[in-house]
Amino acid sequence: SQQGEEDPQALSIQEGENATMNCSYKTSINNLQWYRQNSGRGLVHLILIRSNEREKHSGRLRVTLDTSKKSSSLLITASRAADTASYFCATGEMNTGFQKLVFGTGTRLLVSP
Amino acid sequence: DAGITQSPRYKITETGRQVTLMCHQTWSHSYMFWYRQDLGHGLRLIYYSAAADITDKGEVPDGYVVSRSKTENFPLTLESATRSQTSVYFCASRGSLEAFFGQGTRLTVV
């Protein structure tokens, strides 16, 4: 089964609002990554947070990690229509030295002008 | 051109036929992956490879075969295509941490 599960499955907001999506995972990790997929395209890496970090920022992105709850959240501040995409979390499986990269089911974000 | 490329981008094949999807990367990344993406399932790992001649199964390997004779290439073969293998297939490579994805191959089995 998949390592990560994103919540919500779909999110619809207006431009300028913040978007928060959550990811839960099942096993121990050494890092957690977030990716973005525009419709019909491949995934693009957004941000990585290591297991010993609790929060990380990159531009309008803020990621948090709670290893005790096996969960992470991705916050996009001041959303733009161009942020419309699907967002996935990904983790490496411990029994493969964290190299086998497994993705969640994704959150579809729609940002309306 | 540097990057990761998949071919073909679109393919229609008949049930029972063998079809090979190609993946080529120019970074000499050690790790390569094949995923399939279906509505409601996100990305599911089919096979991955840690280096040339080293491959291992992912979540959904049945009906697929991979090989990796060269670091830069990681072809995925459907030995006898079935309608349930209709999907979008993504190849990815990974050097140290982040993965880079190809543009995908949309495969339809009729």
Side-chain angles (χ1 to χ4, degrees), chain B residues 52-100:
Chain B
D53 297 321
I54 301 175
T55 62
D56 207 348
K57 296 177 180 179
E59 303 168 76
V60 288
D62 293 344
Y64 303 95
V65 174
V66 293
S67 62
R68 195 161 176 212
S69 57
K70 294 184 178 180
T71 300
E72 61 267 29
N73 297 322
F74 191 38
L76 175 73
T77 297
L78 287 67
E79 294 186 296
S80 178
T82 64
R83 289 196 179 89
S84 65
Q85 293 177 309
T86 291
S87 186
V88 180
Y89 291 85
F90 287 99
C91 177
S93 71
R94 184 183 189 190
S96 55
L97 292 174
E98 71 178 272
F100 296 87

Side-chain angles (χ1 to χ4, degrees), chain A residues 1-2 31 33 35 37 40-45 48 50 88 92 96 98-106, chain B residues 9 31 33 35 37 40-45 48 57-59 90 94-103 106:
Chain A
S1 60
Q2 288 171 280
N31 67 74
Q33 305 179 35
Y35 289 77
Q37 182 183 34
R41 309 292 295 271
L43 279 70
V44 175
H45 183 265
L48 177 150
R50 299 180 188 275
F88 296 86
T96 64
F98 302 106
Q99 293 302 329
K100 179 179 166 184
L101 200 57
V102 180
F103 287 79
T105 52
Chain B
R9 290 293 311 278
Y31 286 86
F33 307 83
Y35 297 89
Q37 185 173 32
H41 291 280
L43 274 80
R44 291 182 291 176
L45 182 64
Y48 69 106
K57 296 177 180 179
E59 303 168 76
F90 287 99
R94 184 183 189 190
S96 55
L97 292 174
E98 71 178 272
F100 296 87
F101 281 77
Q103 292 288 70
R106 183 174 294 275

